[in-house]
Amino acid sequence: MNSFAVKRLIPVLLLGAVYVGYVIYPLTETLRESVNIGGAFSVANYINILSPGNSANFEALWNSIVVSILSVLFSGILGTFLAFVLTQFTFPLQRLLTGLAVLPIALPPLVGVIAFLFAFGESGILPRIAQEVSGMNGNVFALEGFSAIVAVHTYSFYVYFYLFVSTTLRQLDAAQLEAAQTLGSTTLRTLRAVVLPELKPALLGAAILTFMASMASFSAPLLFGGDMRFMTLQIYNAKLNGELDVAASHSVVLAAVSITFYILLKIVTPRTSGVRRSKGTGRSGLISLPIPVRRVLIACCIALLALELLPIAIIILISFAKEGSWTWQILPAAYTSENYHKLFADPHVFDPIINSSLMSLVAVTACILVGVSISYLLVKGSLRRVRHIGDVLATLSFAIPGTVIALSLILAFNSPGIFTAQTVLVGTFWILPLAYFIRMFPFVVRSTSASLDQLDDSLLEAGESFGAGSFRRFRKIVLPGILPGIVAGALLVIITAIGEFVSSVLLYTYSNRPISVEILAQMRTYNFGAAAAYSVFLLILVMVLSVLAGLVGREEKSHPSPVNI
């Protein structure tokens, strides 16, 4: 093998070692643990999980699937409705409402659940108002159990449907709509015969994504589930009880379901490109509806988005509540800024924020190094011939639920090993950013690959013909073109990592506890004001990062790669 081939092989081997060591090996350890009962091979755990005779395990599997199906149904209805109104009608405040429609995607999962708890939970503000108005002794309504979990999922995941469907609706071919109108088609028939077939790929892709996210959900079942069992809670509870083989079996089943749906998503996604069927430059068309119907739909859209803001407004209100002043009252009886003063004055109170910030920075640094390298090899480097399968493998860890990743790391790195420099990683600071890295480096892979696709190969060939080496070509030609993509992916990693809860709650120790775990700890000690203040701080942090990510994305669109100019 010549030196050129060796140079091409080294980065592939290094990245392969990282992937095998921190993605494949932990999952393999989980699979091994799931069939290792008392030191002997056994599939008894799987039989227990899948057997209808085992009520607890079967209930967990059944509940997870039913909640996920209902979440898909309601998220689909809400997301599609909002997408239809906000793309097909023109009205005042449309731009503001379009921004509000994607707000839940920037909300850290635990903060969203707590906001729902304060607003609609058994002791929430709205149920107390309803009780006061009705004069009844008990709650007139309150979200709890199944209904609460489905409501939280709908609130969090309808954005997938909104984004997928609104993209397709904006690309509707005006010629098709005009042809249908000319042929005397009614609006309902046009929707059924013309629009719905165009939306099918978008609806299917969003449904799969929502189902995966619902199956992996942990925060909502933890706070609203009560005695109900779910797959993610079974993993958490089995781990706390020291039944690692049982936790591993549940993890394998949950991961298998998620990976199956992820592969389905990868198959379906290319069909969502929205190819126009008309000749020449296509025109986007709008669906016409009678004015009274449009007004009713717009009013419903405004009401729904106002309702979306309510949990966030309530969590801000509670963050100013004096501790102990909100017990049976509708609203807190006394207000103070003490919760925020503590946040900034007491260095120990600030520890979780520092931990989350440091761990997010470590994770994003690793994600950039590994993600950009993988993208380059797949799109422009020596792995471009196997790009399709390489892309699936590189982004596969995104499909694995956070609870599964956390348990896998516990099983793999609870003893010295070659991938941890002969040290025990569990219980250290580094285990959390490692979990974030495994789950989130696909963000950088995808964003960087999209930028690399726009980079003309002839520029690299020109650089090579002028004698520039590989590193110089990357630094002078590739990096300036893909930098916006890298920054966008990195910001997405930080936004997700800074509020990460699912993996953190299984891996943290007191010294490295992140903000999300501290919020839960404050909730469990009934310090609602402090928990809300932490949540608001986290929300502001994520919002600022989201705005930055949006600006970077806008910059990337307005300044495409120099190759395309």
Side-chain angles (χ1 to χ4, degrees):
M1 186 179 292
N2 58 39
S3 60
F4 179 72
V6 172
K7 284 183 181 177
R8 288 166 61 97
L9 193 59
I10 287 176
V12 176
L13 292 176
L14 287 175
L15 290 172
V18 170
Y19 191 79
V20 170
Y22 301 108
V23 178
I24 301 297
Y25 170 62
L27 293 176
T28 306
E29 283 296 293
T30 306
L31 181 61
R32 187 186 65 78
E33 182 69 24
S34 70
V35 293
N36 180 21
I37 301 176
F41 177 83
S42 172
V43 293
N45 287 330
Y46 291 105
I47 294 173
N48 284 335
I49 292 172
L50 300 174
S51 170
N54 189 315
S55 59
N57 289 329
F58 191 75
E59 180 193 338
L61 184 60
W62 176 256
N63 286 344
S64 296
I65 292 174
V66 171
V67 160
S68 300
I69 291 173
L70 291 175
S71 301
V72 169
L73 178 65
F74 288 106
S75 298
I77 293 171
L78 180 58
T80 305
F81 172 75
L82 292 178
F84 182 82
V85 175
L86 292 174
T87 59
Q88 298 301 301
F89 306 147
T90 302
F91 54 94
L93 301 178
Q94 183 184 14
R95 196 168 180 178
L96 173 65
L97 296 178
T98 302
L100 290 178
V102 296
L103 183 63
I105 206 169
L107 206 61
L110 183 65
V111 174
V113 176
I114 290 175
F116 247 75
L117 196 64
F118 286 148
F120 306 109
E122 192 175 0
S123 301
I125 289 177
L126 288 187
R128 290 185 185 189
I129 291 175
Q131 184 181 351
E132 181 71 19
V133 171
S134 67
M136 297 175 65
N137 290 327
N139 279 328
V140 178
F141 83 94
L143 290 179
E144 54 184 336
F146 238 79
S147 60
I149 297 169
V150 172
V152 171
H153 286 180
T154 302
Y155 181 81
S156 303
F157 303 144
Y158 83 79
V159 181
Y160 297 140
F161 280 93
Y162 171 77
L163 291 174
F164 279 50
V165 172
S166 60
T167 301
T168 305
L169 285 175
R170 287 192 183 98
Q171 296 174 340
L172 277 181
D173 195 338
Q176 290 187 45
L177 298 176
E178 290 164 2
Q181 192 175 15
T182 304
L183 293 172
S185 173
T186 63
T187 303
L188 189 61
R189 189 172 182 183
T190 302
L191 287 172
R192 181 171 54 81
V194 178
V195 179
L196 189 58
E198 294 290 322
L199 291 181
K200 275 183 181 176
L203 291 172
L204 187 55
I208 292 173
L209 206 54
T210 303
F211 189 88
M212 283 169 51
S214 299
M215 285 292 291
S217 173
F218 178 77
S219 309
L222 180 69
L223 293 185
F224 282 111
D227 296 331
M228 298 176 69
R229 294 180 174 88
F230 293 87
M231 291 292 286
T232 49
L233 291 184
Q234 291 293 92
I235 296 171
Y236 177 71
N237 292 328
K239 188 267 175 182
L240 291 185
N241 293 331
E243 299 172 328
L244 291 180
D245 59 315
V246 176
S249 305
H250 282 286
S251 298
V252 171
V253 172
L254 185 57
V257 172
S258 299
I259 289 172
T260 301
F261 276 87
Y262 178 70
I263 292 172
L264 281 175
L265 180 67
K266 296 294 287 185
I267 295 171
V268 168
T269 300
R271 299 176 188 174
T272 63
S273 55
V275 178
R276 293 180 185 277
R277 292 176 176 81
S278 60
K279 294 181 179 178
T281 303
R283 293 179 294 113
S284 297
L286 298 177
I287 300 164
S288 61
L289 285 175
I291 291 178
V293 176
R294 292 170 61 177
R295 286 176 177 170
V296 170
L297 295 180
I298 291 170
C300 291
C301 174
I302 293 172
L304 286 169
L305 291 176
L307 193 63
E308 173 192 293
L309 290 177
L310 189 61
I312 298 174
I314 287 178
I315 205 169
I316 293 172
L317 178 74
I318 300 299
S319 72
F320 289 100
K322 192 171 184 178
E323 297 297 354
S325 67
W326 191 39
T327 51
W328 55 267
Q329 302 90 343
I330 293 177
L331 294 173
Y335 295 91
T336 176
S337 58
E338 187 182 353
N339 298 319
Y340 288 99
H341 287 162
K342 283 183 182 176
L343 207 62
F344 293 101
D346 186 343
H348 297 297
V349 174
F350 214 67
D351 283 348
I353 298 172
I354 295 174
N355 286 337
S356 287
S357 302
L358 288 177
M359 290 187 289
S360 299
L361 286 175
V362 172
V364 77
T365 303
C367 287
I368 290 173
L369 289 174
V370 174
V372 173
S373 302
I374 290 176
S375 299
Y376 186 77
L377 289 173
L378 288 174
V379 181
K380 301 293 181 186
S382 55
L383 297 180
R384 61 200 307 177
R385 291 184 178 177
V386 292
R387 179 177 177 181
H388 186 66
I389 184 135
D391 187 60
V392 172
L393 290 174
T395 53
L396 188 66
S397 59
F398 169 73
I400 302 172
T403 44
V404 177
I405 287 177
L407 186 76
S408 301
L409 293 180
I410 292 170
L411 294 171
F413 301 132
N414 60 3
S415 59
I418 187 172
F419 296 112
T420 58
Q422 300 301 325
T423 60
V424 176
L425 211 55
V426 175
T428 68
F429 168 89
W430 301 102
I431 192 77
L432 281 163
L434 177 59
Y436 302 163
F437 158 73
I438 293 171
R439 188 93 196 282
M440 299 166 196
F441 81 84
F443 295 160
V444 180
V445 173
R446 292 306 310 147
S447 62
T448 308
S449 295
S451 295
L452 280 168
D453 280 331
Q454 299 178 17
L455 193 67
D456 195 333
D457 288 345
S458 61
L459 283 180
L460 296 175
E461 293 166 3
E464 188 175 10
S465 66
F466 281 108
S470 300
F471 180 72
R472 187 177 176 83
R473 291 201 301 274
F474 181 83
R475 187 167 58 88
K476 292 290 187 180
I477 299 173
V478 178
L479 191 57
I482 66 172
L483 193 57
I486 296 173
V487 174
L491 284 171
L492 196 54
V493 170
I494 293 181
I495 289 168
T496 312
I498 202 88
E500 209 282 341
F501 174 70
V502 179
S503 299
S504 305
V505 76
L506 281 170
L507 294 171
Y508 83 98
T509 60
Y510 183 77
S511 62
N512 67 358
R513 67 194 189 285
I515 306 177
S516 56
V517 172
E518 181 64 20
I519 291 172
L520 183 65
Q522 296 290 344
M523 288 287 295
R524 283 176 169 167
T525 53
Y526 298 100
N527 294 326
F528 296 139
Y534 271 117
S535 301
V536 171
F537 183 84
L538 183 57
L539 187 59
I540 292 172
L541 203 58
V542 171
M543 292 294 177
V544 170
L545 292 170
S546 300
V547 171
L548 284 176
L551 291 175
V552 171
R554 196 177 302 167
E555 184 75 9
E556 190 176 12
K557 286 179 183 176
S558 61
H559 296 88
S561 170
V563 183
N564 295 331
I565 295 174

